């Protein structure tokens, strides 16, 4: 929902792609993200809370995509993590 992930989503959205953005601890509200996409001339993305370290979240993400699309052309995995000490 920020940085490289958001920029990739906006770039694909400007080309007409259906964009799905996942977040765990989003840095922006859904309204702010939608405004970024609109300002760039991109379609509004689908936002889904999902934690890549949780297999059920990942399966639910792909199931949601499969409900609307027959195939997936591009998958950008922009995962970051922090070590808690």
């Amino acid at each position: 929902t920020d940085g490289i992930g958001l920029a990739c989503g906006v770039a694909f959205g400007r080309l007409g792609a259906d964009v799905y953005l996942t977040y765990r601890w989003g840095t922006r509200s859904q309204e702010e993200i939608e405004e970024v996409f609109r300002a760039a001339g991109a379609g509004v993305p689908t936002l889904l809370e999902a934690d890549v370290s949780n297999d059920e979240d990942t399966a639910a993400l792909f199931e949601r995509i499969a409900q609307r699309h027959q195939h997936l052309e591009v998958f950008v995995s922009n995962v970051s993590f922090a070590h808690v000490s």
Side-chain angles (χ1 to χ4, degrees):
T1 56
D2 202 19
I4 293 170
L6 181 62
C8 288
V10 169
F12 278 106
R14 290 183 67 207
L15 296 171
D18 287 325
V19 174
Y20 292 77
L21 293 178
T22 62
Y23 64 93
R24 180 67 176 123
W25 298 288
T27 55
R28 297 177 188 228
S29 70
Q30 181 168 340
E31 293 78 19
E32 289 171 317
I33 292 168
E34 289 174 358
E35 182 54 36
V36 169
F37 273 71
R38 280 191 206 94
V44 175
T46 300
L47 288 152
L48 301 166
E49 184 172 1
D51 183 345
V52 71
S53 68
N54 181 312
D55 291 343
E56 292 174 358
D57 283 3
T58 302
L61 165 65
F62 285 108
E63 178 60 33
R64 177 78 180 268
I65 293 169
Q67 289 173 357
R68 291 186 52 200
H69 306 281
Q70 293 183 9
H71 65 277
L72 180 65
E73 293 183 20
V74 177
F75 180 81
V76 177
S77 181
N78 181 41
V79 177
S80 64
F81 67 94
H83 176 73
V84 178
S85 55

